[in-house]
Amino acid sequence: MMRKEIEVMIPGAFPLAATLTLPNGGNGTFPLVVMVHGSGPIDRDSNAKGMPMNIFREISDLVVAEGFASIRYDKRGIGASKGDYHEMGVYDLIDDAQAVVEFAKNHPNIDSENVILLGHSEGSILVPFVNERVPVDGLILLAGTAEPLPVTTAWQREEIMKDLRSVKGFQGWLLRLLKVDQKITKMNDDLFKLIQESDDAVIKYKGKKINAKWNRETALFDVSESLQKVNCPVLAITGTKDVNVKVSDLEKIKAFVPSECETHIIQDMTHMLRKTDVEYSMSKIMNNNKKSLKQPVDAELKAKITQWLRNWKKRQVTIDKTEMLVK
């Protein structure tokens, strides 16, 4: 399918650089998928330094092939976007995603009544909040969670501790001798205390910049409240080898969302949205993540998104016809 890519600058607290991709060579008005990234210094294609995930580039190609426009943007302070990434908080991320939706809804090639928000990882936590501010017509949540972020991060830390304690042989003996698990716990506790006692957006810890504002705000962030206000169709997908979020949260998402919610568990898929044959272990899967990026985004995941988009389109056509009959 012919497509047209338009480089745009989205006004907001800080201008955001984005790519708007239109099907059919840009001739016509199209439904839209807005892509909201996961955590970290990530650009419009879901790439960070040393971690070229390319998730949104691949998903953009997928949705455009289905007749949808897509818009993906560089996070604040990343790529060609203005601002300082390290000074950004969770609500700044929501503000930026809202600005992208509002910009796109006003674009002459976009059908403002047919907009879908797609989030990966942290993005899937943010988009229900964006939907509260600017109602959209569908949500796609990839590798998301349904609980307060501190609960998820505490679970992640415990998984790391379990990994450390399960190491056998000389390496395991050395880890226990050096009390590595206790040192990691103390370091996390010290950093959390430092963050909570500061009012600064950015602090330094062991010579490294820490986004203190983001960390303070995530400590109070609970997506379950926002999920209960969603009144559009939802697609939520997580993989069984995802060590960043709990696959069991899919059922919680379905229980919280009052509207139609379709969920899928994909066997062996990780948080990088690729499959792996590495055993389920946080350390082993995290160590394998970069290697897995040599593969494209999982084909089964793409097929689930494609089918949901097709069903969503049929539903929208039915709604439009019903509204015409009522009129």
Side-chain angles (χ1 to χ4, degrees):
M1 175 184 285
M2 289 176 57
R3 65 188 63 204
K4 181 179 181 181
E5 288 203 335
I6 306 170
E7 300 302 307
V8 297
M9 213 69 180
I10 296 166
F14 295 93
L16 301 173
T19 301
L20 175 64
T21 307
L22 305 173
N24 195 32
N27 298 314
T29 303
F30 309 98
L32 173 73
V33 177
V34 179
M35 301 184 188
V36 183
H37 0 55
S39 59
I42 298 176
D43 70 13
R44 70 190 76 185
D45 292 332
S46 303
N47 296 334
K49 187 177 181 180
M51 192 62 70
M53 293 182 288
N54 223 34
I55 291 167
F56 284 173
R57 161 62 77 174
E58 291 195 41
I59 294 179
S60 174
D61 290 343
L62 181 152
V63 304
V64 170
E66 291 299 315
F68 289 77
S70 76
I71 191 164
R72 58 195 200 279
Y73 59 99
D74 293 335
K75 195 175 283 191
R76 186 185 298 194
I78 302 299
S81 289
K82 307 302 181 183
D84 187 330
Y85 164 77
H86 290 98
E87 293 183 356
M88 185 167 49
V90 176
Y91 293 97
D92 295 321
L93 291 167
I94 294 171
D95 289 344
D96 287 351
Q98 178 184 352
V100 175
V101 174
E102 290 174 340
F103 170 87
K105 279 195 168 199
N106 287 303
H107 193 277
N109 288 110
I110 299 305
D111 180 353
S112 63
E113 300 298 317
N114 286 292
V115 174
I116 295 169
L117 273 166
L118 181 150
H120 171 237
S121 187
E122 184 184 42
S124 67
I125 302 169
L126 301 177
V127 296
F129 288 89
V130 179
N131 177 60
E132 277 190 59
R133 297 183 182 185
V134 188
V136 295
D137 310 285
L139 301 181
I140 299 176
L141 313 177
L142 305 179
T145 184
E147 60 191 7
L149 278 174
V151 176
T152 299
T153 53
W155 168 78
Q156 290 171 347
R157 286 195 297 272
E158 184 53 37
E159 289 292 300
I160 293 170
M161 294 300 107
K162 283 192 331 192
D163 261 14
L164 287 172
R165 293 164 192 151
S166 68
V167 176
K168 297 178 182 178
F170 175 75
Q171 186 182 12
W173 173 81
L174 188 61
L175 288 169
R176 287 185 285 277
L177 177 68
L178 298 175
K179 299 181 180 179
V180 172
D181 58 341
Q182 294 177 33
K183 289 178 179 177
I184 290 174
T185 299
K186 184 179 185 307
M187 186 175 70
N188 279 325
D189 291 345
D190 290 347
L191 178 57
F192 181 78
K193 185 172 183 291
L194 194 63
I195 288 168
Q196 294 304 314
E197 289 176 349
S198 172
D199 292 324
D200 295 331
V202 185
I203 62 171
K204 282 248 182 131
Y205 182 72
K206 296 185 181 295
K208 185 179 179 181
K209 275 187 176 182
I210 302 294
N211 187 325
K213 180 181 180 182
W214 180 86
N215 278 279
R216 283 194 299 272
E217 291 181 358
T218 58
L220 304 171
F221 206 66
D222 185 358
V223 70
S224 66
E225 298 173 6
S226 193
L227 286 169
Q228 294 175 59
K229 301 173 185 177
V230 173
N231 58 8
C232 60
V234 175
L235 171 66
I237 306 176
T238 303
T240 60
K241 295 281 182 73
D242 195 322
V243 294
N244 294 68
V245 298
K246 304 171 190 173
V247 70
S248 59
D249 270 16
L250 279 178
E251 286 306 309
K252 292 181 183 178
I253 291 171
K254 192 163 191 172
F256 284 134
V257 173
S259 56
E260 179 185 329
C261 183
E262 181 180 323
T263 61
H264 295 282
I265 298 172
I266 296 184
Q267 291 298 314
D268 295 327
M269 189 176 77
T270 71
H271 203 67
M272 301 292 104
L273 308 184
R274 275 86 169 174
K275 287 182 181 173
T276 182
D277 56 5
V278 172
E279 67 176 285
Y280 184 91
S281 154
M282 177 168 277
S283 59
K284 290 178 181 178
I285 289 175
M286 295 286 278
N287 288 337
N288 188 65
N289 275 342
K290 195 167 182 179
K291 182 180 176 182
S292 75
L293 297 178
K294 295 176 182 177
Q295 305 297 323
V297 170
D298 181 57
E300 185 179 351
L301 172 76
K302 289 179 177 177
K304 298 291 187 192
I305 295 173
T306 297
Q307 190 57 57
W308 187 85
L309 288 173
R310 290 174 182 175
N311 292 338
W312 181 91
K313 260 189 171 181
K314 290 176 184 176
R315 185 188 301 109
Q316 296 305 103
V317 169
T318 302
I319 290 171
D320 290 345
K321 286 181 178 178
T322 302
E323 288 177 349
M324 287 178 67
L325 287 171
V326 170
K327 289 177 182 176

mmCIF file of all heavy atoms in Angstrom, residues 35 64-65 110 115 132 139 145 148 173 209 221 223 233 251 259 263 292-293 296 303 311-312:
data_model
loop_
_atom_site.group_PDB
_atom_site.id
_atom_site.type_symbol
_atom_site.label_atom_id
_atom_site.label_comp_id
_atom_site.label_asym_id
_atom_site.label_seq_id
_atom_site.Cartn_x
_atom_site.Cartn_y
_atom_site.Cartn_z
ATOM 1 N N MET A 35 0.589 6.142 19.225
ATOM 2 C CA MET A 35 1.467 5.218 19.945
ATOM 3 C C MET A 35 2.172 5.920 21.102
ATOM 4 O O MET A 35 2.810 6.949 20.916
ATOM 5 C CB MET A 35 2.476 4.617 18.972
ATOM 6 C CG MET A 35 1.787 3.872 17.838
ATOM 7 S SD MET A 35 2.929 3.051 16.731
ATOM 8 C CE MET A 35 1.749 2.537 15.452
ATOM 9 N N VAL A 64 -0.875 0.790 9.204
ATOM 10 C CA VAL A 64 -1.036 1.502 7.927
ATOM 11 C C VAL A 64 -1.483 0.526 6.839
ATOM 12 O O VAL A 64 -2.317 0.858 5.984
ATOM 13 C CB VAL A 64 0.274 2.224 7.546
ATOM 14 C CG1 VAL A 64 0.204 2.766 6.120
ATOM 15 C CG2 VAL A 64 0.543 3.369 8.518
ATOM 16 N N ALA A 65 -0.962 -0.696 6.870
ATOM 17 C CA ALA A 65 -1.385 -1.718 5.907
ATOM 18 C C ALA A 65 -2.862 -2.065 6.060
ATOM 19 O O ALA A 65 -3.502 -2.541 5.112
ATOM 20 C CB ALA A 65 -0.534 -2.976 6.079
ATOM 21 N N ILE A 110 -7.245 13.129 9.372
ATOM 22 C CA ILE A 110 -7.601 12.206 10.443
ATOM 23 C C ILE A 110 -9.084 12.310 10.781
ATOM 24 O O ILE A 110 -9.630 13.397 10.936
ATOM 25 C CB ILE A 110 -6.759 12.495 11.711
ATOM 26 C CG1 ILE A 110 -5.268 12.304 11.419
ATOM 27 C CG2 ILE A 110 -7.198 11.600 12.865
ATOM 28 C CD1 ILE A 110 -4.879 10.952 10.859
ATOM 29 N N VAL A 115 -10.300 7.217 16.744
ATOM 30 C CA VAL A 115 -8.918 7.286 17.214
ATOM 31 C C VAL A 115 -8.686 6.188 18.254
ATOM 32 O O VAL A 115 -9.494 5.999 19.169
ATOM 33 C CB VAL A 115 -8.608 8.674 17.813
ATOM 34 C CG1 VAL A 115 -7.214 8.689 18.439
ATOM 35 C CG2 VAL A 115 -8.726 9.753 16.736
ATOM 36 N N GLU A 132 -9.144 9.529 29.724
ATOM 37 C CA GLU A 132 -10.014 10.290 30.633
ATOM 38 C C GLU A 132 -10.087 11.750 30.204
ATOM 39 O O GLU A 132 -11.140 12.391 30.309
ATOM 40 C CB GLU A 132 -9.477 10.221 32.063
ATOM 41 C CG GLU A 132 -9.881 8.970 32.829
ATOM 42 C CD GLU A 132 -9.508 9.105 34.301
ATOM 43 O OE1 GLU A 132 -9.994 10.058 34.954
ATOM 44 O OE2 GLU A 132 -8.719 8.277 34.777
ATOM 45 N N LEU A 139 -8.563 1.213 22.917
ATOM 46 C CA LEU A 139 -7.265 1.156 23.581
ATOM 47 C C LEU A 139 -6.604 -0.186 23.276
ATOM 48 O O LEU A 139 -7.269 -1.231 23.326
ATOM 49 C CB LEU A 139 -7.399 1.295 25.101
ATOM 50 C CG LEU A 139 -8.047 2.554 25.690
ATOM 51 C CD1 LEU A 139 -8.032 2.467 27.213
ATOM 52 C CD2 LEU A 139 -7.342 3.812 25.224
ATOM 53 N N THR A 145 0.025 -3.381 33.050
ATOM 54 C CA THR A 145 -0.251 -3.821 34.405
ATOM 55 C C THR A 145 -1.581 -3.234 34.852
ATOM 56 O O THR A 145 -2.099 -2.310 34.225
ATOM 57 C CB THR A 145 0.884 -3.411 35.364
ATOM 58 O OG1 THR A 145 0.630 -3.936 36.657
ATOM 59 C CG2 THR A 145 1.021 -1.910 35.456
ATOM 60 N N PRO A 148 -1.101 -0.649 41.285
ATOM 61 C CA PRO A 148 -0.203 0.501 41.531
ATOM 62 C C PRO A 148 1.229 0.147 41.150
ATOM 63 O O PRO A 148 1.696 -0.969 41.407
ATOM 64 C CB PRO A 148 -0.350 0.723 43.036
ATOM 65 C CG PRO A 148 -1.690 0.169 43.389
ATOM 66 C CD PRO A 148 -1.891 -1.008 42.474
ATOM 67 N N TRP A 173 27.668 -19.447 45.911
ATOM 68 C CA TRP A 173 28.357 -19.331 47.211
ATOM 69 C C TRP A 173 28.943 -17.938 47.371
ATOM 70 O O TRP A 173 28.834 -17.320 48.434
ATOM 71 C CB TRP A 173 29.457 -20.396 47.283
ATOM 72 C CG TRP A 173 30.330 -20.252 48.495
ATOM 73 C CD1 TRP A 173 30.063 -20.685 49.760
ATOM 74 C CD2 TRP A 173 31.605 -19.603 48.547
ATOM 75 N NE1 TRP A 173 31.094 -20.352 50.603
ATOM 76 C CE2 TRP A 173 32.056 -19.677 49.884
ATOM 77 C CE3 TRP A 173 32.405 -18.967 47.588
ATOM 78 C CZ2 TRP A 173 33.279 -19.141 50.291
ATOM 79 C CZ3 TRP A 173 33.623 -18.433 47.990
ATOM 80 C CH2 TRP A 173 34.054 -18.522 49.328
ATOM 81 N N LYS A 209 22.504 10.506 37.075
ATOM 82 C CA LYS A 209 21.273 11.312 37.140
ATOM 83 C C LYS A 209 20.061 10.404 37.370
ATOM 84 O O LYS A 209 19.880 9.404 36.671
ATOM 85 C CB LYS A 209 21.070 12.077 35.831
ATOM 86 C CG LYS A 209 21.792 13.396 35.744
ATOM 87 C CD LYS A 209 21.369 14.141 34.480
ATOM 88 C CE LYS A 209 21.998 15.512 34.403
ATOM 89 N NZ LYS A 209 21.541 16.233 33.193
ATOM 90 N N PHE A 221 0.950 6.290 41.779
ATOM 91 C CA PHE A 221 0.240 6.085 40.509
ATOM 92 C C PHE A 221 -0.476 4.743 40.495
ATOM 93 O O PHE A 221 0.140 3.694 40.727
ATOM 94 C CB PHE A 221 1.269 6.148 39.369
ATOM 95 C CG PHE A 221 0.689 6.579 38.054
ATOM 96 C CD1 PHE A 221 0.187 7.857 37.887
ATOM 97 C CD2 PHE A 221 0.640 5.710 36.984
ATOM 98 C CE1 PHE A 221 -0.340 8.267 36.684
ATOM 99 C CE2 PHE A 221 0.121 6.103 35.768
ATOM 100 C CZ PHE A 221 -0.377 7.390 35.616
ATOM 101 N N VAL A 223 -3.171 2.686 38.047
ATOM 102 C CA VAL A 223 -3.929 2.642 36.794
ATOM 103 C C VAL A 223 -5.283 1.984 36.962
ATOM 104 O O VAL A 223 -6.183 2.172 36.140
ATOM 105 C CB VAL A 223 -3.109 1.914 35.699
ATOM 106 C CG1 VAL A 223 -2.994 0.424 36.004
ATOM 107 C CG2 VAL A 223 -3.710 2.140 34.318
ATOM 108 N N PRO A 233 -13.786 -0.052 23.362
ATOM 109 C CA PRO A 233 -13.217 -1.397 23.258
ATOM 110 C C PRO A 233 -11.732 -1.413 23.617
ATOM 111 O O PRO A 233 -10.995 -0.469 23.302
ATOM 112 C CB PRO A 233 -13.431 -1.760 21.788
ATOM 113 C CG PRO A 233 -14.529 -0.870 21.319
ATOM 114 C CD PRO A 233 -14.379 0.404 22.093
ATOM 115 N N GLU A 251 -6.160 -10.586 33.562
ATOM 116 C CA GLU A 251 -7.502 -10.855 34.108
ATOM 117 C C GLU A 251 -7.993 -9.682 34.948
ATOM 118 O O GLU A 251 -9.189 -9.379 34.967
ATOM 119 C CB GLU A 251 -7.490 -12.142 34.938
ATOM 120 C CG GLU A 251 -7.415 -13.406 34.101
ATOM 121 C CD GLU A 251 -8.513 -13.471 33.039
ATOM 122 O OE1 GLU A 251 -9.697 -13.276 33.391
ATOM 123 O OE2 GLU A 251 -8.189 -13.692 31.861
ATOM 124 N N SER A 259 -16.180 -1.820 29.710
ATOM 125 C CA SER A 259 -16.569 -2.010 28.307
ATOM 126 C C SER A 259 -15.996 -3.330 27.784
ATOM 127 O O SER A 259 -15.387 -4.107 28.529
ATOM 128 C CB SER A 259 -16.071 -0.838 27.462
ATOM 129 O OG SER A 259 -14.676 -0.685 27.606
ATOM 130 N N THR A 263 -8.602 -10.060 25.791
ATOM 131 C CA THR A 263 -7.253 -10.289 26.308
ATOM 132 C C THR A 263 -6.641 -11.535 25.665
ATOM 133 O O THR A 263 -7.345 -12.479 25.321
ATOM 134 C CB THR A 263 -7.251 -10.468 27.838
ATOM 135 O OG1 THR A 263 -8.045 -11.618 28.176
ATOM 136 C CG2 THR A 263 -7.806 -9.243 28.533
ATOM 137 N N SER A 292 17.501 -10.880 21.542
ATOM 138 C CA SER A 292 16.185 -11.154 20.949
ATOM 139 C C SER A 292 15.763 -10.069 19.956
ATOM 140 O O SER A 292 14.931 -10.315 19.067
ATOM 141 C CB SER A 292 15.123 -11.289 22.046
ATOM 142 O OG SER A 292 14.777 -10.029 22.595
ATOM 143 N N LEU A 293 16.338 -8.860 20.094
ATOM 144 C CA LEU A 293 15.952 -7.752 19.226
ATOM 145 C C LEU A 293 16.436 -7.917 17.794
ATOM 146 O O LEU A 293 16.057 -7.141 16.915
ATOM 147 C CB LEU A 293 16.457 -6.430 19.800
ATOM 148 C CG LEU A 293 15.870 -6.038 21.166
ATOM 149 C CD1 LEU A 293 16.485 -4.736 21.648
ATOM 150 C CD2 LEU A 293 14.353 -5.917 21.099
ATOM 151 N N PRO A 296 12.273 -9.796 14.420
ATOM 152 C CA PRO A 296 11.185 -8.805 14.348
ATOM 153 C C PRO A 296 10.197 -8.992 15.486
ATOM 154 O O PRO A 296 10.229 -10.012 16.196
ATOM 155 C CB PRO A 296 10.538 -9.104 12.993
ATOM 156 C CG PRO A 296 10.867 -10.540 12.716
ATOM 157 C CD PRO A 296 12.216 -10.783 13.330
ATOM 158 N N ALA A 303 -0.576 -10.577 14.492
ATOM 159 C CA ALA A 303 -1.824 -11.160 13.991
ATOM 160 C C ALA A 303 -2.998 -10.823 14.911
ATOM 161 O O ALA A 303 -4.110 -10.539 14.433
ATOM 162 C CB ALA A 303 -1.675 -12.679 13.855
ATOM 163 N N ASN A 311 -11.855 -6.180 13.327
ATOM 164 C CA ASN A 311 -13.136 -6.282 14.040
ATOM 165 C C ASN A 311 -13.594 -4.912 14.521
ATOM 166 O O ASN A 311 -14.790 -4.597 14.487
ATOM 167 C CB ASN A 311 -13.005 -7.235 15.227
ATOM 168 C CG ASN A 311 -12.791 -8.673 14.798
ATOM 169 O OD1 ASN A 311 -13.122 -9.053 13.669
ATOM 170 N ND2 ASN A 311 -12.241 -9.490 15.677
ATOM 171 N N TRP A 312 -12.638 -4.099 14.965
ATOM 172 C CA TRP A 312 -12.962 -2.743 15.422
ATOM 173 C C TRP A 312 -13.550 -1.928 14.279
ATOM 174 O O TRP A 312 -14.540 -1.213 14.455
ATOM 175 C CB TRP A 312 -11.683 -2.089 15.953
ATOM 176 C CG TRP A 312 -11.865 -0.693 16.470
ATOM 177 C CD1 TRP A 312 -12.157 -0.312 17.737
ATOM 178 C CD2 TRP A 312 -11.754 0.516 15.704
ATOM 179 N NE1 TRP A 312 -12.233 1.058 17.833
ATOM 180 C CE2 TRP A 312 -11.992 1.597 16.587
ATOM 181 C CE3 TRP A 312 -11.474 0.801 14.373
ATOM 182 C CZ2 TRP A 312 -11.959 2.926 16.174
ATOM 183 C CZ3 TRP A 312 -11.437 2.122 13.964
ATOM 184 C CH2 TRP A 312 -11.678 3.169 14.859
#
